[in-house]
Amino acid sequence: MKKQKLGYYEKRSIMTIIVYLLVYASMFYDAIVYYKLQEPKQEFLSFWGNQFLELFLCLIFVYVLSYFAFNIINKKLTGESRPKIKDERDNTIELKAIHIAYYTFILGVFCAMLSALWVKSFSPIFLIIMATFLVSGIVAEVTRIVSYRKSS
Amino acid sequence: MTQEQLANLAKVTRQTIAAIENNKYSPSLELAFKIADAFEMPLCNVFSYGSGENFEDVHKNKGGGPRKRNGQNYK
């Protein structure tokens, strides 16, 4: 079977996975440091509120930045620019990815609630929800890559 | 007609045309009509449910469609 070259959207999905991993790694690192401290500077709830706010702002900022950087680098290396149109196949794949990510997220939230029931603490809820955001994001991107591979 | 030209006429990406040719993607009715319009042929001459002369053969007769494959959805 002839191997197809990676398309624009597939490469962008790989870039997005790398961005997710980097941003979430820094957030999880912060959480580990917080839990290791004997007397944390911040209160528990304010720490997690801050973490989630930081996470979303950081994700948006890094994603936009890397998106522009990716377009420039991709154009220079392959001569391929961003597709001008998004057709029905792209939309179908997008919808499929969102659909699967949605169910992954619901499963994650369900696991977070179960953990609260067993551990009777807030910590695992926040940790699992944060991990769920990461996993569902990665699942969406992987679905996108697999769908484009399958239909090319 | 090249894939790129057909893609421009049907307002989709070249990859979508390639996916339809390779039997990896079934187009919507709207896109099927647009492709038939681009070939200036009735829809039933370009696409059909089942086997037979396929989309690629029509595309080839118009000067495009480089490869042959087992068609399921296209005439």
Side-chain angles (χ1 to χ4, degrees):
Chain A
M1 203 175 128
K2 195 184 157 195
K3 269 198 174 179
Q4 295 277 338
K5 272 200 301 181
L6 286 177
Y8 174 85
Y9 288 116
E10 291 158 89
K11 282 186 263 182
R12 209 179 75 182
S13 288
I14 293 170
M15 186 270 306
T16 309
I17 291 174
I18 294 168
V19 166
Y20 279 163
L21 289 175
L22 289 175
V23 172
Y24 279 91
S26 74
M27 292 298 149
F28 279 115
Y29 176 76
D30 279 355
I32 291 166
V33 169
Y34 176 82
Y35 280 106
K36 277 195 174 173
L37 288 175
Q38 296 295 326
E39 287 174 20
K41 287 175 197 165
Q42 273 176 306
E43 231 181 281
F44 178 77
L45 282 176
S46 88
F47 166 76
W48 277 108
N50 200 30
Q51 277 293 97
F52 276 99
L53 196 70
E54 227 173 81
L55 173 71
F56 293 129
L57 291 177
C58 212
L59 259 184
I60 294 166
F61 180 71
V62 176
Y63 183 79
V64 170
L65 210 70
S66 58
Y67 176 75
F68 285 115
F70 169 77
N71 279 342
I72 294 166
I73 294 167
N74 189 45
K75 175 97 182 164
K76 277 202 170 178
L77 291 179
T78 61
E80 179 192 28
S81 52
R82 192 173 65 90
K84 287 184 185 79
I85 42 169
K86 206 170 189 191
D87 62 22
E88 58 173 53
R89 180 168 149 265
D90 298 323
N91 289 334
T92 309
I93 290 172
E94 177 91 34
L95 205 65
K96 196 174 172 186
I98 291 172
H99 189 87
I100 294 175
Y102 166 77
Y103 282 112
T104 312
F105 186 74
I106 294 289
L107 190 74
V109 170
F110 184 70
C111 287
M113 294 306 135
L114 275 183
S115 76
L117 205 69
W118 282 327
V119 185
K120 295 194 183 344
S121 159
F122 281 118
S123 297
I125 298 181
F126 291 118
L127 277 170
I128 293 172
I129 286 179
M130 202 186 218
T132 301
F133 274 119
L134 170 66
V135 172
S136 55
I138 289 176
V139 163
E141 298 307 323
V142 170
T143 307
R144 229 170 252 150
I145 295 169
V146 171
S147 303
Y148 275 112
R149 288 277 87 191
K150 269 188 180 173
S151 68
S152 63
Chain B
M1 191 186 289
T2 63
Q3 286 184 343
E4 195 74 55
Q5 286 168 332
L6 179 58
N8 288 337
L9 287 170
K11 292 187 177 60
V12 290
T13 57
R14 193 198 57 76
Q15 286 80 4
T16 300
I17 296 296
I20 295 169
E21 275 194 4
N22 293 327
N23 229 1
K24 297 275 179 69
Y25 176 69
S26 299
S28 67
L29 203 53
E30 190 190 351
L31 178 56
F33 272 110
K34 278 183 187 171
I35 290 170
D37 268 356
F39 289 133
E40 292 170 355
M41 279 183 177
L43 185 69
C44 58
N45 284 6
V46 185
F47 295 95
S48 75
Y49 188 76
S51 58
E53 188 199 0
N54 55 38
F55 164 79
E56 198 169 341
D57 293 332
V58 176
H59 191 187
K60 207 173 178 179
N61 290 337
K62 288 271 174 177
R67 294 181 305 276
K68 179 83 183 162
R69 52 99 182 82
N70 298 321
Q72 281 180 353
N73 299 325
Y74 319 110
K75 263 199 168 184

